[in-house]
Amino acid sequence: MSISFNHTIIAAKDREASAQFYIDLAEAHRIESWGPFTNLQLDDGVMLQFAEPPIDFPPQHYAFLVDDAHFERTYARIHERGLEHWADPQRTRPGQTNTEHGGRGVYLLDPAGHYIEFITRPYL
């Protein structure tokens, strides 16, 4: 069997609010949850597990590769909800998207403060 990415645990301040953010923007799907986790699954089978650790945690970065149609839907939802977003990870180009690597990209923060990136073309 070749190696593939299966799941990750994403620290959340409110696991349900974070899960809903990923349902709305990443179009993730609810799956069975257990214990301290709220579980979602992406179309490629990767599971995202949201948990509320009893400690302060640093922000992480999660990048999602989406097709152009998904990007359009996501960006429309970002606008509809008035979510702050940037064209760059340094947050110097607010309210914009980028056209790097032959595609489009946008950065924003999830409810826990993690840096989220949606891109339409991989970097490599």
Side-chain angles (χ1 to χ4, degrees), residues 10-114:
I10 299 175
K13 295 174 183 170
D14 176 334
R15 67 185 187 166
E16 290 300 324
S18 287
Q20 191 62 51
F21 174 90
Y22 288 82
I23 289 169
D24 293 343
L25 296 183
E27 300 179 1
H29 311 283
R30 284 195 182 272
I31 58 172
E32 181 182 352
S33 296
W34 58 83
F37 304 111
T38 296
N39 298 327
L40 303 179
Q41 191 167 48
L42 302 176
D43 288 341
D44 67 355
V46 171
M47 181 170 56
L48 306 177
Q49 296 185 284
F50 298 89
E52 299 169 8
I55 59 168
D56 286 333
F57 51 84
Q60 301 295 309
H61 173 73
Y62 300 100
F64 297 91
L65 179 63
V66 297
D67 63 26
D68 289 312
H70 188 148
F71 188 89
E72 287 296 327
R73 292 190 304 273
T74 297
Y75 197 63
R77 290 182 192 118
I78 290 169
H79 269 281
E80 289 166 5
R81 290 167 173 78
L83 298 176
E84 195 170 15
H85 60 282
W86 304 269
D88 62 320
Q90 296 81 20
R91 300 192 290 182
T92 63
R93 296 170 49 202
Q96 300 175 44
T97 62
N98 68 60
T99 55
E100 297 168 10
H101 306 284
R104 294 181 292 166
V106 67
Y107 296 82
L108 68 158
L109 301 177
D110 80 357
H114 299 300

